Amino acid sequence: MADYDVLTIGETMLRFTPPGVQRIDQAPYFELEVGGTESNTSVGLARLGMNVAWLSRLPANPLGRRIARTLAGQGVDTSHIVWSANDRLGLYFVEFGDGPRPTQVTYDRADSAMSRMQPDELPAELFEPGRARHLHLTGITVAISESAAATARRAVELAKAAGMTFSFDVNYRAKLWSPEQARAGCHEFAAAADIFFTPIRDAESIYGVSGDPDSALAQLQAIYPQATIILTLGAEGAIGAAPGRPAISQSVFPAGTVGRIGGGDAFTAGVLYGYLTDTVAESRLATALRWGAAAAAFKYTIPGDMPLFEKEEVEALLHSGNQAPQVRR
Amino acid sequence: MADYDVLTIGETMLRFTPPGVQRIDQAPYFELEVGGTESNTSVGLARLGMNVAWLSRLPANPLGRRIARTLAGQGVDTSHIVWSANDRLGLYFVEFGDGPRPTQVTYDRADSAMSRMQPDELPAELFEPGRARHLHLTGITVAISESAAATARRAVELAKAAGMTFSFDVNYRAKLWSPEQARAGCHEFAAAADIFFTPIRDAESIYGVSGDPDSALAQLQAIYPQATIILTLGAEGAIGAAPGRPAISQSVFPAGTVGRIGGGDAFTAGVLYGYLTDTVAESRLATALRWGAAAAAFKYTIPGDMPLFEKEEVEALLHSGNQAPQVRR
Amino acid sequence: MADYDVLTIGETMLRFTPPGVQRIDQAPYFELEVGGTESNTSVGLARLGMNVAWLSRLPANPLGRRIARTLAGQGVDTSHIVWSANDRLGLYFVEFGDGPRPTQVTYDRADSAMSRMQPDELPAELFEPGRARHLHLTGITVAISESAAATARRAVELAKAAGMTFSFDVNYRAKLWSPEQARAGCHEFAAAADIFFTPIRDAESIYGVSGDPDSALAQLQAIYPQATIILTLGAEGAIGAAPGRPAISQSVFPAGTVGRIGGGDAFTAGVLYGYLTDTVAESRLATALRWGAAAAAFKYTIPGDMPLFEKEEVEALLHSGNQAPQVRR
Amino acid sequence: MADYDVLTIGETMLRFTPPGVQRIDQAPYFELEVGGTESNTSVGLARLGMNVAWLSRLPANPLGRRIARTLAGQGVDTSHIVWSANDRLGLYFVEFGDGPRPTQVTYDRADSAMSRMQPDELPAELFEPGRARHLHLTGITVAISESAAATARRAVELAKAAGMTFSFDVNYRAKLWSPEQARAGCHEFAAAADIFFTPIRDAESIYGVSGDPDSALAQLQAIYPQATIILTLGAEGAIGAAPGRPAISQSVFPAGTVGRIGGGDAFTAGVLYGYLTDTVAESRLATALRWGAAAAAFKYTIPGDMPLFEKEEVEALLHSGNQAPQVRR
Amino acid sequence: MADYDVLTIGETMLRFTPPGVQRIDQAPYFELEVGGTESNTSVGLARLGMNVAWLSRLPANPLGRRIARTLAGQGVDTSHIVWSANDRLGLYFVEFGDGPRPTQVTYDRADSAMSRMQPDELPAELFEPGRARHLHLTGITVAISESAAATARRAVELAKAAGMTFSFDVNYRAKLWSPEQARAGCHEFAAAADIFFTPIRDAESIYGVSGDPDSALAQLQAIYPQATIILTLGAEGAIGAAPGRPAISQSVFPAGTVGRIGGGDAFTAGVLYGYLTDTVAESRLATALRWGAAAAAFKYTIPGDMPLFEKEEVEALLHSGNQAPQVRR
Amino acid sequence: MADYDVLTIGETMLRFTPPGVQRIDQAPYFELEVGGTESNTSVGLARLGMNVAWLSRLPANPLGRRIARTLAGQGVDTSHIVWSANDRLGLYFVEFGDGPRPTQVTYDRADSAMSRMQPDELPAELFEPGRARHLHLTGITVAISESAAATARRAVELAKAAGMTFSFDVNYRAKLWSPEQARAGCHEFAAAADIFFTPIRDAESIYGVSGDPDSALAQLQAIYPQATIILTLGAEGAIGAAPGRPAISQSVFPAGTVGRIGGGDAFTAGVLYGYLTDTVAESRLATALRWGAAAAAFKYTIPGDMPLFEKEEVEALLHSGNQAPQVRR
């Protein structure tokens, strides 16, 4: 049995948030959260009972250590973090909106310790055969810097060599790169992925797919035929297809909005959990989508970035309602 | 004139609550509330202008004293509390949910000072004729321990001997006992009650009544013909009947949800207020139900367990809208 | 070019508010806000890029200085404030309601420093020709005291002499005076105004106008034919007409409710901004109303009394949706 | 046995305090306390086990009710409060200093409901013989207004007629009156008092006494020979003498500073407790002074104005250390 | 190399604390801490870089999970915790005193999940040879219940069989047992210990030792000749001796008081760290005492129960000042 | 008369601080302050009644605007700020220590908007003759980047050309540069200064001066004979000398420690205030030093970086005690 079910690599930031819907202008203090797409997914997986290692590069200062300890407290293995003596931690500021005032995010992540990670800083022992079953990466790591992208590329090579499966989430951020850059940057990862996640709106802007979800899915399958492709559709749920199998759609579980940030990462955690625990081809994708939908909905109820749920809670939600996955014709 | 309009006996706990909809996992601090069904009702009655004594057994430590002082600050007479040198205070933890995440209550009330109250600890002077007009008890006291049940039983005997009227609210808690135990435990109290309160869902599970509210009410009347029976119907309001008089239904006043905990106790306070101030048989139940509905709705707007309203506020709400009680048939 | 685009005069109070929807009874602390109709409007104008001076009389104690510094921090010129050695600051207490519990405001403003302001305390230099373009006053200043009313009257005379334009907002407060007193007190100001603002409900009670908004507007035009009249209609938006030009209606931008207090003042700020920046007769009122509607809606999203928006944010909202002003008939 | 051991009359204000040592300028919120010299003393007496009624005039608004409920929660009888429909509540603002920055108190108490109390508003039933044993007043009530002074005067007459004993504390406040006014205003109260409290510094400025404490005490005894006189000496403790008995001095118990406000009122509570429970002439004053010193020291450790101690705690402190009263000479 | 440097077993409670020096009576909320002597020591060891497993029995509810996650966040291995479906979590309430008001601790730990732990719930795999180097227990586990004591006894047997070393800290709690009970209960643990910790005041009351620290140490050595005995002396530091070696004394590093709770546990962590990293007989005890003193002093500066220091910080303190251990005689 | 008494240029950061003495590790939120040596001094000057313009380069995002508005609220002119569309704001994190745990500052200021300011961004109109009387700069601006240093250099040239006086404070920061770099970087500023400030410890490390303060001062006078030199001595106060006049020493006013950060900047504000208001050669430096000492001591009592005092408060402190400046020999 592998030491780790899932290995994730990515950047995690300290998040500052005015209380409630106060403006940054008027808040006497900022609440602190720890947020990063890969670490959020790691927390979700750990809370669902999986062994997860999260790999990153952090400054060896109180801010960096806070990131590591917060994730360790969620059951994520942080023992492989690469500590940097000099670099800074990425930060971001979230001001929650109300009504016509949009939620406003101010990033301050340039030159972060993670953006300066080098391929040779990857710990070799994590990629020994049998050490980990699955690697999960996102497009953010590819976008933040050349060396981070090279590190991600090297991680995929090592994972493949070790017989690990691999999932990739585009996670497009317009503040980091253009759709063209994203397509170029993500291509080799998507082409290597066993599971490829993308929101339909990003599939449209990056890959130029069009039409309804079924059609968009088919177009992506044509580009990346080797991958199980999962297209998220916002309030319409998700649709996915494994190679050579019928598409399956999944509707959303009704949910609140207090914890929308990190909902997509919780979805990914649920999908990976289902994918790694149900290995029967006939049910695998349906199981994965259903866990994804339930995990995302539950996350929507939890303040902060991390999906602080118990497995039993997600399971209870999953068995409620009528959100059964539907096989598409 | 009696010293007290109403005497209540029961357990009150200290409640701990994470701020907002935070999870217990993530809250840096817990807000404090004082909550117990009988004390909540007592506070409602005191704020409506009645003289109310609340009787309980509390540990003589800072936590127990906090309970007593909080209630005294609401105008409830706490001078008859039985102080215990050694026992603990019952506690409970409320985590408010959001969307599909349910509000989660963790009780920690075993072996509380009140659960160890003995019948001979009842202060005799409270049951002297003319001292109090009315006694109110709930099924929770019967459920928490043998000695508390015996104490409640003895209180009813003493009250009857002193010529007091008596109301009983089943207040079924599945974490304390089964429906069968509740029926057995509550029977003698219901059979002695001048007013008997129960939610329709508990009437169904405990007494096996069925059918629409009118029918359920009639079935309960057959069991406890001596009592004015008040059946609460959730969002459908309430229905009740005094012996030998037509049933009367009462719809709810529209309300928020911030203060749902304690809404039922505020309803009881309103009903008892109406019942004790309007003693004309023709209007009594209608008055009681209307005050109950208004008090409950107003409580729904107030954070915490206690109905922190002014009489004028409830009265203004009561005179608004179209929530007039309806005579059935 | 004038030093100030707008000069406003009025009373600003310190506001105390229990957190969330807590009752004044139960709050362990009160949050602090700075609120006054004229200063709120001044802040809105300053944030839209105008030069605004706010004139008032404040006690020279920590509370008075807090008012001045808070407004200065918003870009409002506070250098002309008249400091009083002995008087008190007006205060008010807001308890936010929920559901059927109304928001409850307790004023404690009697004998405030501003209510004791005298006409001869008006700084002459502010009324030199070319110093300021526009004067804005509200009925509150007329209502709070004889000497404040006399001061307002003198300010209008000085402004007229200096060639300034003048706007007046009835801003009726039932706790300060009766509709009859308001009509008598406001008349000379309305009769001198270039812009006259009133909610339709106050126009009805004070001026006895009746009928639909178009009709009510026409009736007011008959009384004050010299003024551009702006009638606010709550959720129905606003309607206005400049002398000799067709009426124009403006619908509201959808908005939340967290920041309703001060929404009207933000509307006034938006209107004055539009009025002072677009001086083409054909478009002036439409521009003013659209800026007013957008500013008000944005304010609705911001806790506290002051419209803490950026000009770009209001502008973005203004260009969204379908809230274009409509020419009537 | 009397219903009340002690009856006190006076003004109580709502206190606003920035957290910690923040300035009023910079605090995002103000903490709330309830403070008044007579109510503070009442709370101390109630916590020591005495029956105490506090009488005042309060506005019937949320602020006034908060005062009443807070005191009721401390065990003080508030059923005789006179409620005013229109007046305001006295307020005060405390900014705690640090090092050379002095603690700064801003009063806003003019025209408070209590300052408008009239003699005929005194509830006659409180002054029936046997109703209460002792009346306690302070110079503040005499200072705040003519009608409050008249009310205090009338209360002394009624108390004397009912056979009650009477204590009076000068409690000089320079912001309310001059030493000359204080002497004139307080004289008839001091001349009627069974116990007369004054700090030595006020005795110097108001009565012109001089010299060491023994000498100052003797000079006051010459003026008010009927009274037990208690002279407080700050860090040097207190000295007192009953008519015809030797002077007794009492040193202070070492204490912190977090709760200095209200320390003098706790001292008075302790003295009255000792005086009313030990009626043996030989030990009475010594008992009173020792309880006063212990109560004051314990109060010094408690944030806020009110002495939130338990009797057992004060008693334990009283029996510790070497602060035994000393007979002089 | 062993998986764990240290294995600890014991009870950890959730701690509730009013902010600052507020009384439990007056606090609007309670801050949350996680505290237990063995887990505090575990956190200290983990932060000094050791691999530590903490073993306990916790309720499988949000409170129990909070304990586990908090400790995991500090780097302590919590994977061996025994989860109980029904029991409660031990709680305690700390009210910090000021001046003569003592810090007051109210325990509510009866019938906790840990107190119901059974010997056969000890995970066998933790006691396999080579799994862990050292076992640490305290007298609290022996005191809380028969079954916990039996569990502790069994753990020592298993540890000895696995070749682990063993340390025992009396940690006498007067609220749990009498000195006589403590002596009887602790004897077999002390007699089996490689390191035996006790404060001198407990050595006096439990073992009847007397005289100066050197003498008290010698008396304890006579009873438990096999153990390195460490006697803590409060402000005088500590003194200790290994079998057959001279006694060594260690003075304290000057420190604040904000974080006194848990200071002793940090001392133990420092001693164990020194003892396990310096295995040279000549320097071992001196190294251990010095790390203990530095760790304790640093903990004194940190709010809460856990020693949240970095190894570099303790090391820097350790190399400062003149607190070198002294060989006695 | 000049528009501005003082013009300052420099970087101001947003400061994040855990509440109380919590560690960054454990704080649920961070309090926000605005701090920068030049802006702190500007606030002090504005509060003492001077007209001050603060010039900097800030990012046009919510964080940058918060800086500007906070300073404007203190009366500092912020209308000349250079707004940058893309750059980041400098940040710093302060964890307050206790006892042996040092206060720990983590800077995150690299690549801030101010560090990228260019000489040609200096607003020409600020340097027109008669616009401002005095320019104040510090070594931090010289240290943070080449372009900031060039900007500072150009500002001095422009100021000299406009006839302004100039003061320079070394304000050495070891995290920014070495003593050698500081000497090289600061030399031309010191050589141009009318007033030159330096702590004695920095004078020692940067300029190699040695001996007692009188001697160190004499050595600096030899290097910069044109300047009034002010040497700060920590707890020993300060010593200074104007060209050709005797040295004058100033002791400190006793003060607390809650507001130590920014104390030196308040000292500078006090000195500049005295220097610019007392232009009589005989008394000028003594006046300046006394205001500096009083302003610094008062700042020590105020949480945060900014000296939130009133002129009257500093003046009262200045006239208290025996801290008169002493002429040396």
Side-chain angles (χ1 to χ4, degrees), chain E residues 31-303:
Chain E
E31 295 168 348
L32 293 182
E33 300 288 343
V34 161
T37 178
E38 299 85 359
S39 61
N40 295 346
T41 295
S42 299
V43 168
L45 285 162
R47 287 203 165 230
L48 293 174
M50 308 234 100
N51 290 317
V52 192
W54 173 77
L55 181 60
S56 192
R57 195 164 173 276
L58 287 174
N61 67 21
L63 304 177
R65 287 190 291 261
R66 184 170 174 131
I67 300 290
R69 289 197 176 112
T70 300
L71 297 176
Q74 297 305 323
V76 173
D77 183 300
T78 58
S79 61
H80 302 285
I81 288 169
V82 178
W83 292 98
S84 147
N86 298 304
D87 296 306
R88 65 185 297 267
L89 183 72
L91 309 173
Y92 75 118
F93 302 81
V94 176
E95 183 191 275
F96 283 106
D98 177 70
R101 173 157 65 92
T103 290
Q104 183 174 350
V105 181
T106 303
Y107 286 102
D108 181 14
R109 66 194 300 176
D111 295 322
S112 68
M114 179 61 206
S115 76
R116 293 178 172 171
M117 189 165 182
Q118 304 296 330
D120 61 9
E121 290 179 310
L122 286 171
E125 78 274 16
L126 266 175
F127 296 94
E128 287 165 7
R131 198 70 204 283
R133 289 177 63 194
H134 185 86
L135 172 69
H136 177 68
L137 299 177
T138 79
I140 291 175
T141 306
V142 187
I144 54 173
S145 76
E146 284 295 319
S147 76
T151 303
R153 225 171 285 128
R154 179 82 182 119
V156 175
E157 290 167 16
L158 292 170
K160 291 280 171 181
M164 294 162 67
T165 49
F166 168 54
S167 54
F168 185 74
D169 184 345
V170 165
N171 237 324
Y172 179 68
R173 290 286 185 277
K175 294 192 183 178
L176 291 176
W177 53 2
S178 66
E180 294 69 35
Q181 290 172 313
R183 178 164 192 165
C186 290
H187 180 66
E188 69 186 295
F189 294 92
D194 297 288
I195 314 180
F196 176 62
F197 294 89
T198 180
I200 192 167
R201 67 165 188 277
D202 297 338
E204 289 163 356
S205 66
I206 296 174
Y207 289 101
V209 306
S210 59
D212 64 18
D214 293 271
S215 163
L217 179 64
Q219 295 165 55
L220 284 174
Q221 284 181 298
I223 309 179
Y224 300 122
Q226 91 293 347
T228 292
I229 291 176
I230 295 177
L231 211 52
T232 55
L233 312 170
E236 270 65 52
I239 186 168
R245 298 198 53 82
I248 292 176
S249 69
Q250 170 68 49
S251 59
V252 299
F253 290 83
T257 63
V258 72
R260 288 195 62 174
I261 294 182
D265 306 327
F267 175 80
T268 302
V271 167
L272 293 180
Y273 173 79
Y275 184 84
L276 292 168
T277 53
D278 178 354
T279 54
V280 178
E282 281 70 22
S283 57
R284 190 171 209 180
L285 181 59
T287 301
L289 288 173
R290 185 155 191 154
W291 274 94
F298 210 95
K299 170 62 193 73
Y300 270 48
T301 73
I302 298 168

Side-chain angles (χ1 to χ4, degrees), chain A residues 110-111, chain F residues 11 57 82 84 86-88 109-121 144-148 151:
Chain A
D111 295 323
Chain F
E11 178 170 19
R57 195 165 174 276
V82 178
S84 147
N86 298 304
D87 295 308
R88 64 184 297 266
R109 68 194 299 176
D111 295 321
S112 68
M114 178 60 205
S115 76
R116 293 178 172 172
M117 190 167 182
Q118 303 296 331
D120 61 9
E121 290 179 309
I144 55 173
S145 76
E146 284 296 318
S147 76
T151 302

